[in-house]
Amino acid sequence: MGALSLILKHPGDIIPLYRVKCMADQAKKLPKEPNLRFCYHMLNLVSRSFAIVIQQLPHELQDAVCVFYLVLRALDTVEDDMSIPDTPKCKELEIFWKKIYDPKYTYPCGEKHYKVLMDEYPKVTAVFLSLKKEYQEVIADITKRMGEGMSNFIKREVVTLEDWDEYCHYVAGLVGIGLSNLWANSMLEDKRIADMEELSNAMGLFLQKTNIIRDFLEDYVDGRTWWPREIWGQYGATLADFQDARNRRAAVHCLNHMVTNALQHAVDSLDYMGRLRHKWVFRFCAIPQVMAIATLYECFDNEEVF
Ligand code: D99
């Protein structure tokens, strides 16, 4: 079906779609200051959808969240680069949080946009150092905990449900926790939001698990899947079995089990969002959650995931 006929089937979507288009155009306008300009330029290259969503935030938080995002993407780039041997990779992941204060620090790795981000990293550092101390401390604390967790999982496989939640906590739950600390420090939200670590964690876990489910094929082709054996082991002897058309029924049952597991975090994520007071903070948080629910809806019982 063409885009136009899809819209005509849902005429109520025309105004919201137009508003999103205006937001997307807005996101393409870059600030004048060169370092800040680089940060928003990178954000647009790495994640269009996030560049749009970040526009929802009040100005002061926008820059802090943009830098937070890029620092985490840089850490991710180190984790993802399969050409770095385990020993130096683990060391770099563990010390990265100290390096974000070093105006000269770069660690060339990654591909395409990520390579540019790593090569030009001092521009991110310059903006980081211009943020309020309270914001810098939150970003450094989360980067430290995430780097240590990632390093630990370099040599460890995701086997049990506990492993899966732990891995997702490091790479995504901590993002939710960091954001809650940014909201609390900005005074836009109640200080107590920073103490709700379980609910903040669930915001990240729900998004991360949804991505892991949706990206099964892409990750499988790259030789690294994050589906926990405790689930897929109930439906097949190896993950390779799910690629065989004769095992499609078992594969789809496994997929549905994965979706059901991810959905468990929806309750806490709704509880978290119910506690937000600031309209723009709420939108920034709610848009990705709504997109994740729609993604799980598409994936459920859908063999095309494989
Ligand atoms: C994220 N996550 O929006 Cl977790 C990352 N894409 O998915 Cl600061 C960093 O990376 C921050 O399709 C915030 O364009 C978030 C979440 C978030 C959380 C908690 C509360 C509120 C918001 C994202 C951002 C988008 C992203 C999507 C992109 C392709 C590349 C990856 C696209 C979530 C996380 C940590 C699971 C990646």
Side-chain angles (χ1 to χ4, degrees), residues 46-50 53 65-66 68-69 72-73 76 114 171-173 175-177 179 183 200 203-205 207-209 211 214 272 284-286 288-289 291:
V46 174
S47 176
R48 285 303 319 284
S49 68
F50 195 69
V53 175
V65 173
C66 176
F68 186 32
Y69 184 80
L72 300 180
R73 288 318 296 216
D76 240 17
Y114 299 101
V171 301
V175 180
I177 292 170
L179 287 170
W183 311 149
S200 308
M203 293 288 286
L205 259 60
L207 300 179
Q208 181 69 20
K209 288 187 174 182
N211 292 345
R214 180 198 59 197
Y272 177 90
F284 171 83
C285 291
Q289 300 290 319
M291 287 167 65

Side-chain angles (χ1 to χ4, degrees), residues 246-259:
R246 285 168 300 184
N247 300 322
R248 270 302 129 81
R249 275 178 59 85
V252 167
H253 285 146
C254 177
L255 170 64
N256 294 348
H257 193 152
M258 292 287 292
V259 172

Side-chain angles (χ1 to χ4, degrees), residues 194-214:
D195 302 326
M196 309 204 170
E197 294 215 348
E198 273 306 309
L199 300 185
S200 308
N201 188 55
M203 293 288 286
L205 259 60
F206 189 54
L207 300 179
Q208 181 69 20
K209 288 187 174 182
T210 301
N211 292 345
I212 289 175
I213 293 167
R214 180 198 59 197

Side-chain angles (χ1 to χ4, degrees), residues 13 18 40 60 72 86 107 205 208 227-228 268 283 288 300:
D13 286 354
Y18 178 73
Y40 282 96
E60 185 187 281
L72 300 180
D86 285 357
Y107 186 79
L205 259 60
Q208 181 69 20
W227 289 28
D268 279 348
R283 287 186 180 178
F300 190 79

Side-chain angles (χ1 to χ4, degrees), residues 65-299:
V65 173
C66 176
V67 171
F68 186 32
Y69 184 80
L70 293 177
V71 169
L72 300 180
R73 288 318 296 216
L75 189 66
D76 240 17
T77 306
V78 177
E79 187 206 24
D80 270 354
D81 189 324
M82 299 312 261
S83 73
I84 310 168
D86 285 357
T87 310
K89 184 188 278 189
C90 287
K91 181 185 157 265
E92 207 58 33
L93 290 171
E94 285 161 30
I95 62 164
F96 192 83
W97 70 278
K98 289 182 206 155
K99 300 296 185 184
I100 63 177
Y101 290 95
D102 177 352
K104 292 200 187 72
Y105 175 77
T106 58
Y107 186 79
C109 63
E111 291 172 342
K112 294 180 226 158
H113 308 322
Y114 299 101
K115 185 174 172 6
V116 180
L117 173 65
M118 299 313 282
D119 286 344
E120 314 268 318
Y121 195 78
K123 293 177 179 168
V124 179
T125 306
V127 180
F128 172 76
L129 293 171
S130 76
L131 297 175
K132 283 190 184 161
K133 272 268 166 311
E134 308 94 275
Y135 297 152
Q136 290 182 23
E137 280 162 15
V138 171
I139 294 172
D141 170 58
I142 297 298
T143 308
K144 179 173 192 285
R145 291 157 72 183
M146 190 181 291
E148 286 166 356
M150 282 175 166
S151 166
N152 187 254
F153 268 96
I154 295 289
K155 308 148 232 160
R156 219 175 113 186
E157 207 192 330
V158 176
V159 179
T160 65
L161 290 180
E162 219 174 65
D163 293 342
W164 198 34
D165 280 13
E166 192 185 333
Y167 174 74
C168 291
H169 163 74
Y170 289 127
V171 301
L174 283 172
V175 180
I177 292 170
L179 287 170
S180 292
N181 281 289
L182 293 180
W183 311 149
N185 287 343
S186 74
M187 313 295 265
L188 288 175
E189 295 292 341
D190 193 314
K191 276 253 166 285
R192 284 171 297 184
I193 195 84
D195 302 326
M196 309 204 170
E197 294 215 348
E198 273 306 309
L199 300 185
S200 308
N201 188 55
M203 293 288 286
L205 259 60
F206 189 54
L207 300 179
Q208 181 69 20
K209 288 187 174 182
T210 301
N211 292 345
I212 289 175
I213 293 167
R214 180 198 59 197
D215 297 339
F216 174 82
L217 183 58
E218 193 185 322
D219 292 340
Y220 176 78
V221 170
D222 291 346
R224 40 168 25 195
T225 45
W226 302 104
W227 289 28
R229 191 164 72 212
E230 192 174 331
I231 292 182
W232 63 256
Q234 299 175 34
Y235 303 91
T238 66
L239 277 171
D241 290 352
F242 295 155
Q243 292 310 103
D244 189 326
R246 285 168 300 184
N247 300 322
R248 270 302 129 81
R249 275 178 59 85
V252 167
H253 285 146
C254 177
L255 170 64
N256 294 348
H257 193 152
M258 292 287 292
V259 172
T260 308
N261 176 287
L263 275 173
Q264 291 174 339
H265 303 292
V267 182
D268 279 348
S269 101
L270 289 169
D271 185 348
Y272 177 90
M273 291 188 286
R275 293 166 197 268
L276 295 173
R277 289 289 154 262
H278 197 290
K279 179 169 149 183
W280 290 284
V281 174
F282 174 79
R283 287 186 180 178
F284 171 83
C285 291
I287 294 169
Q289 300 290 319
V290 170
M291 287 167 65
I293 291 176
T295 303
L296 291 178
Y297 170 80
E298 286 293 337
C299 289

